[in-house]
mmCIF file of all heavy atoms in Angstrom:
data_model
loop_
_atom_site.group_PDB
_atom_site.id
_atom_site.type_symbol
_atom_site.label_atom_id
_atom_site.label_comp_id
_atom_site.label_asym_id
_atom_site.label_seq_id
_atom_site.Cartn_x
_atom_site.Cartn_y
_atom_site.Cartn_z
ATOM 1 N N SER A 240 8.247 5.050 -37.903
ATOM 2 C CA SER A 240 7.031 5.247 -37.094
ATOM 3 C C SER A 240 6.399 6.620 -37.334
ATOM 4 O O SER A 240 5.363 6.926 -36.782
ATOM 5 C CB SER A 240 7.365 5.119 -35.599
ATOM 6 O OG SER A 240 7.996 3.896 -35.327
ATOM 7 N N LYS A 241 7.084 7.439 -38.103
ATOM 8 C CA LYS A 241 6.622 8.810 -38.435
ATOM 9 C C LYS A 241 6.511 9.714 -37.208
ATOM 10 O O LYS A 241 5.546 10.462 -37.057
ATOM 11 C CB LYS A 241 5.281 8.762 -39.183
ATOM 12 C CG LYS A 241 5.329 8.016 -40.512
ATOM 13 C CD LYS A 241 4.036 8.225 -41.287
ATOM 14 C CE LYS A 241 4.074 7.717 -42.701
ATOM 15 N NZ LYS A 241 4.345 6.326 -42.891
ATOM 16 N N VAL A 242 7.487 9.623 -36.294
ATOM 17 C CA VAL A 242 7.474 10.535 -35.144
ATOM 18 C C VAL A 242 7.660 11.958 -35.663
ATOM 19 O O VAL A 242 8.325 12.192 -36.664
ATOM 20 C CB VAL A 242 8.552 10.230 -34.063
ATOM 21 C CG1 VAL A 242 8.492 8.801 -33.602
ATOM 22 C CG2 VAL A 242 9.931 10.594 -34.513
ATOM 23 N N ARG A 243 7.059 12.902 -34.942
ATOM 24 C CA ARG A 243 7.054 14.278 -35.436
ATOM 25 C C ARG A 243 8.308 15.055 -35.009
ATOM 26 O O ARG A 243 8.685 16.013 -35.649
ATOM 27 C CB ARG A 243 5.803 14.987 -34.910
ATOM 28 C CG ARG A 243 4.499 14.225 -35.246
ATOM 29 C CD ARG A 243 4.132 14.365 -36.706
ATOM 30 N NE ARG A 243 3.914 15.739 -37.060
ATOM 31 C CZ ARG A 243 2.791 16.420 -36.814
ATOM 32 N NH1 ARG A 243 1.776 15.807 -36.265
ATOM 33 N NH2 ARG A 243 2.670 17.684 -37.152
ATOM 34 N N TYR A 244 8.911 14.666 -33.893
ATOM 35 C CA TYR A 244 10.117 15.369 -33.423
ATOM 36 C C TYR A 244 10.913 14.450 -32.491
ATOM 37 O O TYR A 244 10.361 13.482 -31.938
ATOM 38 C CB TYR A 244 9.754 16.666 -32.657
ATOM 39 C CG TYR A 244 8.840 16.417 -31.490
ATOM 40 C CD1 TYR A 244 9.325 16.039 -30.241
ATOM 41 C CD2 TYR A 244 7.454 16.504 -31.645
ATOM 42 C CE1 TYR A 244 8.478 15.768 -29.182
ATOM 43 C CE2 TYR A 244 6.590 16.239 -30.589
ATOM 44 C CZ TYR A 244 7.112 15.868 -29.363
ATOM 45 O OH TYR A 244 6.271 15.582 -28.323
ATOM 46 N N VAL A 245 12.180 14.752 -32.328
ATOM 47 C CA VAL A 245 12.997 14.107 -31.287
ATOM 48 C C VAL A 245 13.705 15.213 -30.495
ATOM 49 O O VAL A 245 14.084 16.237 -31.060
ATOM 50 C CB VAL A 245 14.069 13.128 -31.837
ATOM 51 C CG1 VAL A 245 13.453 11.906 -32.459
ATOM 52 C CG2 VAL A 245 14.978 13.812 -32.821
ATOM 53 N N LEU A 246 13.849 14.994 -29.204
ATOM 54 C CA LEU A 246 14.507 15.985 -28.327
ATOM 55 C C LEU A 246 15.669 15.282 -27.624
ATOM 56 O O LEU A 246 15.483 14.685 -26.560
ATOM 57 C CB LEU A 246 13.507 16.513 -27.284
ATOM 58 C CG LEU A 246 12.187 17.084 -27.822
ATOM 59 C CD1 LEU A 246 11.227 17.407 -26.672
ATOM 60 C CD2 LEU A 246 12.446 18.342 -28.652
ATOM 61 N N PRO A 247 16.848 15.277 -28.228
ATOM 62 C CA PRO A 247 17.973 14.522 -27.627
ATOM 63 C C PRO A 247 18.766 15.335 -26.602
ATOM 64 O O PRO A 247 18.894 16.544 -26.738
ATOM 65 C CB PRO A 247 18.868 14.201 -28.840
ATOM 66 C CG PRO A 247 18.345 14.994 -29.984
ATOM 67 C CD PRO A 247 17.211 15.852 -29.525
ATOM 68 N N ALA A 248 19.285 14.647 -25.610
ATOM 69 C CA ALA A 248 20.182 15.292 -24.626
ATOM 70 C C ALA A 248 21.182 14.267 -24.117
ATOM 71 O O ALA A 248 20.886 13.065 -24.073
ATOM 72 C CB ALA A 248 19.391 15.877 -23.468
ATOM 73 N N SER A 249 22.337 14.760 -23.725
ATOM 74 C CA SER A 249 23.356 13.846 -23.193
ATOM 75 C C SER A 249 23.112 13.622 -21.690
ATOM 76 O O SER A 249 22.259 14.248 -21.087
ATOM 77 C CB SER A 249 24.763 14.381 -23.463
ATOM 78 O OG SER A 249 24.970 15.551 -22.745
ATOM 79 N N THR A 250 23.895 12.728 -21.125
ATOM 80 C CA THR A 250 23.676 12.306 -19.731
ATOM 81 C C THR A 250 24.269 13.280 -18.712
ATOM 82 O O THR A 250 25.366 13.790 -18.908
ATOM 83 C CB THR A 250 24.337 10.915 -19.546
ATOM 84 O OG1 THR A 250 23.735 10.015 -20.458
ATOM 85 C CG2 THR A 250 24.166 10.390 -18.137
ATOM 86 N N THR A 251 23.517 13.498 -17.633
ATOM 87 C CA THR A 251 24.021 14.275 -16.498
ATOM 88 C C THR A 251 23.870 13.401 -15.259
ATOM 89 O O THR A 251 22.786 12.861 -15.021
ATOM 90 C CB THR A 251 23.178 15.560 -16.325
ATOM 91 O OG1 THR A 251 23.163 16.258 -17.567
ATOM 92 C CG2 THR A 251 23.756 16.466 -15.254
ATOM 93 N N LEU A 252 24.925 13.223 -14.507
ATOM 94 C CA LEU A 252 24.870 12.348 -13.328
ATOM 95 C C LEU A 252 25.361 13.103 -12.100
ATOM 96 O O LEU A 252 26.429 13.723 -12.135
ATOM 97 C CB LEU A 252 25.762 11.119 -13.548
ATOM 98 C CG LEU A 252 25.388 10.219 -14.729
ATOM 99 C CD1 LEU A 252 26.429 9.122 -14.905
ATOM 100 C CD2 LEU A 252 24.007 9.614 -14.547
ATOM 101 N N TYR A 253 24.569 13.013 -11.046
ATOM 102 C CA TYR A 253 24.885 13.778 -9.842
ATOM 103 C C TYR A 253 25.263 12.887 -8.656
ATOM 104 O O TYR A 253 24.691 11.813 -8.475
ATOM 105 C CB TYR A 253 23.679 14.607 -9.409
ATOM 106 C CG TYR A 253 23.300 15.693 -10.384
ATOM 107 C CD1 TYR A 253 22.249 15.498 -11.268
ATOM 108 C CD2 TYR A 253 24.003 16.891 -10.415
ATOM 109 C CE1 TYR A 253 21.896 16.499 -12.170
ATOM 110 C CE2 TYR A 253 23.654 17.897 -11.316
ATOM 111 C CZ TYR A 253 22.600 17.690 -12.190
ATOM 112 O OH TYR A 253 22.261 18.664 -13.080
ATOM 113 N N GLY A 254 26.152 13.404 -7.826
ATOM 114 C CA GLY A 254 26.316 12.916 -6.454
ATOM 115 C C GLY A 254 27.172 11.686 -6.253
ATOM 116 O O GLY A 254 27.357 10.858 -7.136
ATOM 117 N N GLU A 255 27.688 11.600 -5.017
ATOM 118 C CA GLU A 255 28.537 10.471 -4.630
ATOM 119 C C GLU A 255 27.862 9.637 -3.550
ATOM 120 O O GLU A 255 28.386 8.629 -3.108
ATOM 121 C CB GLU A 255 29.899 10.966 -4.091
ATOM 122 C CG GLU A 255 30.643 11.971 -4.986
ATOM 123 C CD GLU A 255 31.157 11.357 -6.275
ATOM 124 O OE1 GLU A 255 31.296 10.114 -6.324
ATOM 125 O OE2 GLU A 255 31.405 12.123 -7.229
ATOM 126 N N GLY A 256 26.690 10.084 -3.075
ATOM 127 C CA GLY A 256 25.972 9.347 -2.028
ATOM 128 C C GLY A 256 25.414 8.038 -2.565
ATOM 129 O O GLY A 256 25.334 7.841 -3.781
ATOM 130 N N LYS A 257 24.977 7.149 -1.652
ATOM 131 C CA LYS A 257 24.605 5.809 -2.144
ATOM 132 C C LYS A 257 23.295 5.801 -2.935
ATOM 133 O O LYS A 257 23.033 4.863 -3.675
ATOM 134 C CB LYS A 257 24.589 4.792 -1.011
ATOM 135 C CG LYS A 257 23.530 4.910 0.028
ATOM 136 C CD LYS A 257 23.764 3.816 1.062
ATOM 137 C CE LYS A 257 22.815 3.893 2.214
ATOM 138 N NZ LYS A 257 21.587 3.285 2.145
ATOM 139 N N ALA A 258 22.491 6.863 -2.813
ATOM 140 C CA ALA A 258 21.237 6.919 -3.572
ATOM 141 C C ALA A 258 21.338 7.851 -4.784
ATOM 142 O O ALA A 258 20.345 8.128 -5.438
ATOM 143 C CB ALA A 258 20.110 7.379 -2.657
#
Side-chain angles (χ1 to χ4, degrees):
S240 305
K241 299 190 170 59
V242 307
R243 306 286 299 280
Y244 57 85
V245 292
L246 306 173
S249 66
T250 301
T251 306
L252 299 175
Y253 294 100
E255 309 291 340
K257 69 182 176 86

